[in-house]
Amino acid sequence: NNKNTLELASKFRVYGTEIVMALTGATTGKFGVVPYKSDAYVNQRVGLFFDKLDIGNGFLYGLLKQKSIIKNIIEMAQGSAQSNLSPRDVNNLKIIYCDKYKDIYKILNY
């Protein structure tokens, strides 16, 4: 049924400025940002990050690009033939947020 397919696909729709991460293959753990004002879809092997604290995707992207975060992500990747990250592992990734830096978050927000 086309309606069911469209409803399922809508869960994977991105509109721009979302932070995405490869979960499988040679690019496992690599981050990117969906271009502003895009209308696209991600597949099931792409992690999608959400800014639950409203600190801004610009600052969140900067946090995710820290060497310590990238090291943790790479260590989580499993598989001998092809590295693979579990969405559950990525969802459990903890990123420290400090309220006293709100002004910096606002400047780096896009």
Side-chain angles (χ1 to χ4, degrees), residues 62-88:
L63 289 174
L64 292 169
K65 294 295 285 182
Q66 291 182 83
K67 287 181 183 180
S68 61
I69 298 292
I70 292 171
K71 182 178 181 263
N72 287 341
I73 290 169
I74 290 170
E75 287 174 356
M76 285 190 290
Q78 302 172 2
S80 57
Q82 177 171 295
S83 60
N84 184 42
L85 281 170
S86 158
R88 181 181 11 198

PDB file of all heavy atoms in Angstrom, residues 62-88:
ATOM      1  N   GLY A  62      29.983  20.537  16.806  1.00  0.00           N
ATOM      2  CA  GLY A  62      31.319  20.761  17.349  1.00  0.00           C
ATOM      3  C   GLY A  62      31.653  19.780  18.468  1.00  0.00           C
ATOM      4  O   GLY A  62      32.766  19.265  18.540  1.00  0.00           O
ATOM      5  N   LEU A  63      30.687  19.518  19.338  1.00  0.00           N
ATOM      6  CA  LEU A  63      30.901  18.553  20.416  1.00  0.00           C
ATOM      7  C   LEU A  63      31.152  17.157  19.857  1.00  0.00           C
ATOM      8  O   LEU A  63      32.043  16.439  20.305  1.00  0.00           O
ATOM      9  CB  LEU A  63      29.702  18.513  21.360  1.00  0.00           C
ATOM     10  CG  LEU A  63      29.483  19.716  22.261  1.00  0.00           C
ATOM     11  CD1 LEU A  63      28.164  19.578  23.013  1.00  0.00           C
ATOM     12  CD2 LEU A  63      30.636  19.885  23.237  1.00  0.00           C
ATOM     13  N   LEU A  64      30.374  16.779  18.858  1.00  0.00           N
ATOM     14  CA  LEU A  64      30.507  15.446  18.271  1.00  0.00           C
ATOM     15  C   LEU A  64      31.837  15.261  17.550  1.00  0.00           C
ATOM     16  O   LEU A  64      32.322  14.139  17.424  1.00  0.00           O
ATOM     17  CB  LEU A  64      29.351  15.168  17.308  1.00  0.00           C
ATOM     18  CG  LEU A  64      27.978  15.019  17.954  1.00  0.00           C
ATOM     19  CD1 LEU A  64      26.890  15.023  16.895  1.00  0.00           C
ATOM     20  CD2 LEU A  64      27.909  13.762  18.796  1.00  0.00           C
ATOM     21  N   LYS A  65      32.447  16.331  17.090  1.00  0.00           N
ATOM     22  CA  LYS A  65      33.698  16.262  16.356  1.00  0.00           C
ATOM     23  C   LYS A  65      34.928  16.245  17.279  1.00  0.00           C
ATOM     24  O   LYS A  65      36.057  16.166  16.792  1.00  0.00           O
ATOM     25  CB  LYS A  65      33.811  17.435  15.379  1.00  0.00           C
ATOM     26  CG  LYS A  65      32.784  17.402  14.255  1.00  0.00           C
ATOM     27  CD  LYS A  65      32.966  16.231  13.329  1.00  0.00           C
ATOM     28  CE  LYS A  65      34.142  16.465  12.422  1.00  0.00           C
ATOM     29  NZ  LYS A  65      34.362  15.401  11.455  1.00  0.00           N
ATOM     30  N   GLN A  66      34.728  16.288  18.590  1.00  0.00           N
ATOM     31  CA  GLN A  66      35.853  16.217  19.520  1.00  0.00           C
ATOM     32  C   GLN A  66      36.549  14.861  19.397  1.00  0.00           C
ATOM     33  O   GLN A  66      35.904  13.829  19.226  1.00  0.00           O
ATOM     34  CB  GLN A  66      35.371  16.385  20.959  1.00  0.00           C
ATOM     35  CG  GLN A  66      34.867  17.762  21.280  1.00  0.00           C
ATOM     36  CD  GLN A  66      34.463  17.818  22.728  1.00  0.00           C
ATOM     37  OE1 GLN A  66      35.296  18.015  23.591  1.00  0.00           O
ATOM     38  NE2 GLN A  66      33.175  17.623  22.976  1.00  0.00           N
ATOM     39  N   LYS A  67      37.873  14.869  19.544  1.00  0.00           N
ATOM     40  CA  LYS A  67      38.645  13.627  19.427  1.00  0.00           C
ATOM     41  C   LYS A  67      38.162  12.559  20.403  1.00  0.00           C
ATOM     42  O   LYS A  67      38.089  11.386  20.048  1.00  0.00           O
ATOM     43  CB  LYS A  67      40.128  13.908  19.646  1.00  0.00           C
ATOM     44  CG  LYS A  67      40.783  14.630  18.499  1.00  0.00           C
ATOM     45  CD  LYS A  67      42.255  14.856  18.760  1.00  0.00           C
ATOM     46  CE  LYS A  67      42.861  15.649  17.621  1.00  0.00           C
ATOM     47  NZ  LYS A  67      44.294  15.903  17.827  1.00  0.00           N
ATOM     48  N   SER A  68      37.821  12.951  21.620  1.00  0.00           N
ATOM     49  CA  SER A  68      37.385  11.958  22.617  1.00  0.00           C
ATOM     50  C   SER A  68      36.057  11.316  22.219  1.00  0.00           C
ATOM     51  O   SER A  68      35.868  10.114  22.413  1.00  0.00           O
ATOM     52  CB  SER A  68      37.275  12.593  24.001  1.00  0.00           C
ATOM     53  OG  SER A  68      36.311  13.637  23.997  1.00  0.00           O
ATOM     54  N   ILE A  69      35.155  12.082  21.652  1.00  0.00           N
ATOM     55  CA  ILE A  69      33.857  11.545  21.216  1.00  0.00           C
ATOM     56  C   ILE A  69      34.076  10.602  20.028  1.00  0.00           C
ATOM     57  O   ILE A  69      33.541   9.490  19.984  1.00  0.00           O
ATOM     58  CB  ILE A  69      32.871  12.675  20.849  1.00  0.00           C
ATOM     59  CG1 ILE A  69      32.584  13.562  22.051  1.00  0.00           C
ATOM     60  CG2 ILE A  69      31.596  12.110  20.241  1.00  0.00           C
ATOM     61  CD1 ILE A  69      31.801  12.910  23.150  1.00  0.00           C
ATOM     62  N   ILE A  70      34.871  11.038  19.061  1.00  0.00           N
ATOM     63  CA  ILE A  70      35.140  10.210  17.883  1.00  0.00           C
ATOM     64  C   ILE A  70      35.814   8.908  18.304  1.00  0.00           C
ATOM     65  O   ILE A  70      35.471   7.831  17.811  1.00  0.00           O
ATOM     66  CB  ILE A  70      35.996  10.985  16.859  1.00  0.00           C
ATOM     67  CG1 ILE A  70      35.168  12.131  16.274  1.00  0.00           C
ATOM     68  CG2 ILE A  70      36.511  10.064  15.756  1.00  0.00           C
ATOM     69  CD1 ILE A  70      35.939  13.106  15.428  1.00  0.00           C
ATOM     70  N   LYS A  71      36.758   8.984  19.236  1.00  0.00           N
ATOM     71  CA  LYS A  71      37.437   7.779  19.735  1.00  0.00           C
ATOM     72  C   LYS A  71      36.423   6.816  20.358  1.00  0.00           C
ATOM     73  O   LYS A  71      36.455   5.611  20.090  1.00  0.00           O
ATOM     74  CB  LYS A  71      38.488   8.178  20.768  1.00  0.00           C
ATOM     75  CG  LYS A  71      39.284   7.015  21.322  1.00  0.00           C
ATOM     76  CD  LYS A  71      40.342   7.538  22.315  1.00  0.00           C
ATOM     77  CE  LYS A  71      41.158   6.395  22.868  1.00  0.00           C
ATOM     78  NZ  LYS A  71      40.726   5.922  24.147  1.00  0.00           N
ATOM     79  N   ASN A  72      35.503   7.334  21.171  1.00  0.00           N
ATOM     80  CA  ASN A  72      34.475   6.486  21.781  1.00  0.00           C
ATOM     81  C   ASN A  72      33.595   5.837  20.726  1.00  0.00           C
ATOM     82  O   ASN A  72      33.240   4.661  20.842  1.00  0.00           O
ATOM     83  CB  ASN A  72      33.606   7.286  22.748  1.00  0.00           C
ATOM     84  CG  ASN A  72      34.325   7.635  24.022  1.00  0.00           C
ATOM     85  OD1 ASN A  72      35.328   7.033  24.369  1.00  0.00           O
ATOM     86  ND2 ASN A  72      33.823   8.628  24.726  1.00  0.00           N
ATOM     87  N   ILE A  73      33.237   6.577  19.712  1.00  0.00           N
ATOM     88  CA  ILE A  73      32.376   6.048  18.651  1.00  0.00           C
ATOM     89  C   ILE A  73      33.094   4.940  17.887  1.00  0.00           C
ATOM     90  O   ILE A  73      32.536   3.874  17.633  1.00  0.00           O
ATOM     91  CB  ILE A  73      31.918   7.177  17.708  1.00  0.00           C
ATOM     92  CG1 ILE A  73      30.926   8.077  18.447  1.00  0.00           C
ATOM     93  CG2 ILE A  73      31.312   6.616  16.426  1.00  0.00           C
ATOM     94  CD1 ILE A  73      30.596   9.354  17.735  1.00  0.00           C
ATOM     95  N   ILE A  74      34.352   5.169  17.542  1.00  0.00           N
ATOM     96  CA  ILE A  74      35.116   4.162  16.803  1.00  0.00           C
ATOM     97  C   ILE A  74      35.280   2.894  17.643  1.00  0.00           C
ATOM     98  O   ILE A  74      35.179   1.783  17.134  1.00  0.00           O
ATOM     99  CB  ILE A  74      36.471   4.728  16.355  1.00  0.00           C
ATOM    100  CG1 ILE A  74      36.227   5.776  15.265  1.00  0.00           C
ATOM    101  CG2 ILE A  74      37.400   3.636  15.855  1.00  0.00           C
ATOM    102  CD1 ILE A  74      37.432   6.590  14.887  1.00  0.00           C
ATOM    103  N   GLU A  75      35.499   3.058  18.947  1.00  0.00           N
ATOM    104  CA  GLU A  75      35.628   1.894  19.828  1.00  0.00           C
ATOM    105  C   GLU A  75      34.322   1.113  19.935  1.00  0.00           C
ATOM    106  O   GLU A  75      34.335  -0.087  20.179  1.00  0.00           O
ATOM    107  CB  GLU A  75      36.103   2.331  21.213  1.00  0.00           C
ATOM    108  CG  GLU A  75      37.567   2.745  21.237  1.00  0.00           C
ATOM    109  CD  GLU A  75      38.017   3.326  22.566  1.00  0.00           C
ATOM    110  OE1 GLU A  75      37.172   3.500  23.481  1.00  0.00           O
ATOM    111  OE2 GLU A  75      39.209   3.611  22.696  1.00  0.00           O
ATOM    112  N   MET A  76      33.189   1.783  19.761  1.00  0.00           N
ATOM    113  CA  MET A  76      31.890   1.099  19.811  1.00  0.00           C
ATOM    114  C   MET A  76      31.629   0.271  18.559  1.00  0.00           C
ATOM    115  O   MET A  76      30.852  -0.672  18.579  1.00  0.00           O
ATOM    116  CB  MET A  76      30.742   2.117  19.954  1.00  0.00           C
ATOM    117  CG  MET A  76      30.593   2.705  21.315  1.00  0.00           C
ATOM    118  SD  MET A  76      29.050   3.659  21.472  1.00  0.00           S
ATOM    119  CE  MET A  76      29.369   5.069  20.436  1.00  0.00           C
ATOM    120  N   ALA A  77      32.276   0.655  17.430  1.00  0.00           N
ATOM    121  CA  ALA A  77      32.038  -0.037  16.158  1.00  0.00           C
ATOM    122  C   ALA A  77      32.490  -1.488  16.267  1.00  0.00           C
ATOM    123  O   ALA A  77      33.553  -1.783  16.793  1.00  0.00           O
ATOM    124  CB  ALA A  77      32.774   0.674  15.029  1.00  0.00           C
ATOM    125  N   GLN A  78      31.653  -2.384  15.775  1.00  0.00           N
ATOM    126  CA  GLN A  78      31.925  -3.817  15.855  1.00  0.00           C
ATOM    127  C   GLN A  78      31.957  -4.413  14.459  1.00  0.00           C
ATOM    128  O   GLN A  78      31.404  -3.858  13.525  1.00  0.00           O
ATOM    129  CB  GLN A  78      30.843  -4.512  16.671  1.00  0.00           C
ATOM    130  CG  GLN A  78      30.709  -3.984  18.066  1.00  0.00           C
ATOM    131  CD  GLN A  78      29.495  -4.569  18.769  1.00  0.00           C
ATOM    132  OE1 GLN A  78      28.782  -5.383  18.219  1.00  0.00           O
ATOM    133  NE2 GLN A  78      29.276  -4.145  19.998  1.00  0.00           N
ATOM    134  N   GLY A  79      32.569  -5.567  14.341  1.00  0.00           N
ATOM    135  CA  GLY A  79      32.593  -6.292  13.070  1.00  0.00           C
ATOM    136  C   GLY A  79      33.988  -6.366  12.515  1.00  0.00           C
ATOM    137  O   GLY A  79      34.725  -5.401  12.551  1.00  0.00           O
ATOM    138  N   SER A  80      34.342  -7.533  11.999  1.00  0.00           N
ATOM    139  CA  SER A  80      35.691  -7.705  11.470  1.00  0.00           C
ATOM    140  C   SER A  80      35.753  -7.380   9.977  1.00  0.00           C
ATOM    141  O   SER A  80      36.685  -6.746   9.525  1.00  0.00           O
ATOM    142  CB  SER A  80      36.182  -9.118  11.731  1.00  0.00           C
ATOM    143  OG  SER A  80      35.295 -10.056  11.165  1.00  0.00           O
ATOM    144  N   ALA A  81      34.774  -7.806   9.210  1.00  0.00           N
ATOM    145  CA  ALA A  81      34.786  -7.534   7.772  1.00  0.00           C
ATOM    146  C   ALA A  81      34.323  -6.121   7.469  1.00  0.00           C
ATOM    147  O   ALA A  81      34.849  -5.456   6.588  1.00  0.00           O
ATOM    148  CB  ALA A  81      33.898  -8.537   7.050  1.00  0.00           C
ATOM    149  N   GLN A  82      33.355  -5.670   8.206  1.00  0.00           N
ATOM    150  CA  GLN A  82      32.804  -4.328   7.992  1.00  0.00           C
ATOM    151  C   GLN A  82      32.403  -3.772   9.344  1.00  0.00           C
ATOM    152  O   GLN A  82      31.619  -4.384  10.058  1.00  0.00           O
ATOM    153  CB  GLN A  82      31.591  -4.406   7.058  1.00  0.00           C
ATOM    154  CG  GLN A  82      30.907  -3.084   6.845  1.00  0.00           C
ATOM    155  CD  GLN A  82      29.864  -3.169   5.754  1.00  0.00           C
ATOM    156  OE1 GLN A  82      30.201  -3.399   4.615  1.00  0.00           O
ATOM    157  NE2 GLN A  82      28.615  -2.995   6.103  1.00  0.00           N
ATOM    158  N   SER A  83      32.945  -2.610   9.684  1.00  0.00           N
ATOM    159  CA  SER A  83      32.587  -2.032  10.979  1.00  0.00           C
ATOM    160  C   SER A  83      31.123  -1.628  10.979  1.00  0.00           C
ATOM    161  O   SER A  83      30.544  -1.292   9.953  1.00  0.00           O
ATOM    162  CB  SER A  83      33.491  -0.848  11.315  1.00  0.00           C
ATOM    163  OG  SER A  83      33.383   0.152  10.344  1.00  0.00           O
ATOM    164  N   ASN A  84      30.534  -1.681  12.155  1.00  0.00           N
ATOM    165  CA  ASN A  84      29.105  -1.461  12.282  1.00  0.00           C
ATOM    166  C   ASN A  84      28.821  -0.852  13.648  1.00  0.00           C
ATOM    167  O   ASN A  84      29.312  -1.323  14.658  1.00  0.00           O
ATOM    168  CB  ASN A  84      28.386  -2.806  12.135  1.00  0.00           C
ATOM    169  CG  ASN A  84      26.896  -2.669  12.154  1.00  0.00           C
ATOM    170  OD1 ASN A  84      26.345  -1.760  11.553  1.00  0.00           O
ATOM    171  ND2 ASN A  84      26.235  -3.575  12.835  1.00  0.00           N
ATOM    172  N   LEU A  85      28.038   0.195  13.661  1.00  0.00           N
ATOM    173  CA  LEU A  85      27.601   0.803  14.912  1.00  0.00           C
ATOM    174  C   LEU A  85      26.131   0.488  15.133  1.00  0.00           C
ATOM    175  O   LEU A  85      25.326   0.544  14.210  1.00  0.00           O
ATOM    176  CB  LEU A  85      27.756   2.325  14.867  1.00  0.00           C
ATOM    177  CG  LEU A  85      29.138   2.884  15.099  1.00  0.00           C
ATOM    178  CD1 LEU A  85      29.169   4.371  14.786  1.00  0.00           C
ATOM    179  CD2 LEU A  85      29.575   2.664  16.527  1.00  0.00           C
ATOM    180  N   SER A  86      25.800   0.183  16.350  1.00  0.00           N
ATOM    181  CA  SER A  86      24.412  -0.050  16.714  1.00  0.00           C
ATOM    182  C   SER A  86      23.750   1.288  17.037  1.00  0.00           C
ATOM    183  O   SER A  86      24.309   2.093  17.779  1.00  0.00           O
ATOM    184  CB  SER A  86      24.366  -0.959  17.945  1.00  0.00           C
ATOM    185  OG  SER A  86      23.152  -0.814  18.626  1.00  0.00           O
ATOM    186  N   PRO A  87      22.551   1.539  16.493  1.00  0.00           N
ATOM    187  CA  PRO A  87      21.843   2.767  16.871  1.00  0.00           C
ATOM    188  C   PRO A  87      21.652   2.868  18.389  1.00  0.00           C
ATOM    189  O   PRO A  87      21.699   3.958  18.955  1.00  0.00           O
ATOM    190  CB  PRO A  87      20.495   2.647  16.155  1.00  0.00           C
ATOM    191  CG  PRO A  87      20.779   1.766  14.990  1.00  0.00           C
ATOM    192  CD  PRO A  87      21.823   0.786  15.481  1.00  0.00           C
ATOM    193  N   ARG A  88      21.478   1.742  19.060  1.00  0.00           N
ATOM    194  CA  ARG A  88      21.307   1.743  20.514  1.00  0.00           C
ATOM    195  C   ARG A  88      22.574   2.262  21.204  1.00  0.00           C
ATOM    196  O   ARG A  88      22.512   3.048  22.137  1.00  0.00           O
ATOM    197  CB  ARG A  88      20.959   0.348  21.015  1.00  0.00           C
ATOM    198  CG  ARG A  88      20.751   0.273  22.508  1.00  0.00           C
ATOM    199  CD  ARG A  88      20.424  -1.103  22.975  1.00  0.00           C
ATOM    200  NE  ARG A  88      20.645  -2.076  21.899  1.00  0.00           N
ATOM    201  CZ  ARG A  88      20.156  -3.288  21.870  1.00  0.00           C
ATOM    202  NH1 ARG A  88      19.436  -3.718  22.843  1.00  0.00           N
ATOM    203  NH2 ARG A  88      20.403  -4.093  20.871  1.00  0.00           N
TER     204      ARG A  88
END
